[in-house]
Amino acid sequence: MAPVPASPNTSLLLPTYARAPIALERGEGAWAITSDGQRFLDFGAGIAVNSLGHAHPHLVQALTEQASRIWHTSNLYSMPDGEKLARRLCEATFAERVFFTNSGAEANECAIKMARKYHAAKGNPERFHIITFEGAFHGRTLATIAAGGQQKYIDGFGPKVSGFDQVPFDDEKALKAAITDETAALLIEPIQGEGGLRTVPTRFLKLLRELCDEHGLLLIFDEIQTGVGRSGKFFSYELAGVTPDIMSVAKGIGGGFPMGACLATEEAASGMTLGTHGTTFGGNPLAMAVGNAVLDVILAPGFLEQVRQISLRLRQSLAQLKDHHPDVIEEIRGEGLMLGLKLKTPNTDFVAEARNAGLLVVAAGDNVVRLLPPLIIGETEVAEAVARLETTASAVEASLKRPAAE
């Protein structure tokens, strides 16, 4: 018997997202626009993805020019733009090897496999355990939800993938106790995104490096949300002066085009030999063209300095906002243009009120609202965003004073 057709107003998409009741049709810089002309100041940037805003002319040109030549070849053949992008990433970071993926979850899968293979290739296959930290988010695959350790993402998907040992955030004693002869690596986000914009203290990141060196472990940084200028540096490990052995990258590196990468030292990548890993779409010509275009802008002289200056302006304004609304805002968190408002009221209410005020922001764990604007914002956008946050906080404050509905 044929299925009954759904009505035009019934979505056939899996109901796994709580979607906001707006449909964004086009964008201009830091502004996103609906089909009926509503304009929203986009301080979510597709969850830190649209690093250069909407319809950046250099990215549009790179993508359309590449689309007119060739879209896909597979990794059976040489990829000149991929070689170019890998070289540029290595020259600008600690890395000596790069593997391109389609997403952050895939970049983390590569990092996990690389760490395990490193020890196996050296004759220690029992060393496959990876220590992670509470509040982490590393993706939605079976391995990365196990790495993140959040039960709400694990429930219902069968036995948890083994080999991940989670310890409390910033707990030196627990971390040292968790290291065994089966430990392969430590995996951490220098700033937790989904976990509530919690910045890992520099002293703790330095401790991780010391422990890895002492025990022969690999240090993996998940810079999927913090990387590509988001922190005010090209990658946030530069802020702490702590260099990882492996680093996962995605989101901002494609400026909105789906792509990711796993970066590593030559030594850390030594086990990843011919045939040990692969991808059909990773490193495709379209992604490589856009990735190179993103780097043209991000690595241009003065760009990251401007990000640092504008982020300081925004943070100062948020501190004033907190002072004006102490019953709503508890704390300002984060670095660069990856900032968070730790709230005293439900963050979902704040997100909805911000949307009513024409501002798009993103909820996170620990009752935090994330502010993740495009890196190209200026003083005008900051002032406008702060004004709309003021309207939002005032609306939330007013709701606290209303008598409960009977």
Side-chain angles (χ1 to χ4, degrees), residues 45 134 162 266 345 347 370:
E134 289 180 1
S162 64
E266 185 79 41
T345 58
N347 60 357
R370 281 176 277 186

Side-chain angles (χ1 to χ4, degrees), residues 32-179:
I33 307 163
T34 66
S35 55
D36 61 0
Q38 291 186 77
R39 293 173 63 86
F40 291 88
L41 186 54
D42 189 357
F43 265 49
I47 316 182
V49 168
N50 301 321
S51 50
L52 301 181
H54 298 283
H56 190 284
H58 188 55
L59 271 61
V60 171
Q61 180 182 5
L63 182 59
T64 52
E65 286 184 356
Q66 183 59 53
S68 70
R69 293 197 291 267
I70 193 167
W71 290 25
H72 179 75
T73 63
S74 88
N75 287 298
L76 295 174
Y77 310 102
S78 297
M79 197 75 68
D81 279 353
E83 295 287 349
K84 176 183 176 182
L85 183 55
R87 188 176 305 109
R88 295 176 76 183
L89 287 168
C90 289
E91 288 173 353
T93 68
F94 70 94
E96 297 162 310
R97 291 287 180 179
V98 179
F99 183 91
F100 289 114
T101 69
N102 307 289
S103 68
E106 290 179 49
N108 273 330
E109 286 276 344
C110 181
I112 291 164
K113 290 177 70 175
M114 184 180 289
R116 290 181 170 189
K117 190 68 172 176
Y118 170 80
H119 292 285
K122 292 184 177 300
N124 301 300
E126 75 284 356
R127 300 188 71 175
F128 67 91
H129 283 249
I130 295 177
I131 295 174
T132 63
F133 299 84
E134 289 180 1
F137 182 83
H138 298 298
R140 297 277 194 160
T141 66
L142 289 175
T144 54
I145 60 174
Q150 296 191 49
Q151 201 60 40
K152 65 181 179 180
Y153 298 129
I154 295 171
D155 284 345
F157 294 108
K160 178 183 173 182
V161 174
S162 64
F164 297 97
D165 304 317
Q166 196 163 69
V167 299
F169 183 88
D170 191 20
D171 189 326
E172 179 177 342
K173 183 178 179 181
L175 170 60
K176 289 181 176 179
I179 296 174

Side-chain angles (χ1 to χ4, degrees), residues 223-238:
E223 290 237 29
I224 289 165
Q225 192 163 149
T226 58
V228 197
R230 180 58 54 186
S231 70
K233 293 288 189 178
F234 189 34
F235 287 100
S236 69
Y237 74 83
E238 300 171 63

Side-chain angles (χ1 to χ4, degrees), residues 245-265:
D245 302 295
I246 303 171
M247 182 169 69
S248 52
V249 184
K251 290 188 179 287
I253 195 172
F257 194 93
M259 69 172 295
C262 181
L263 279 59
T265 64

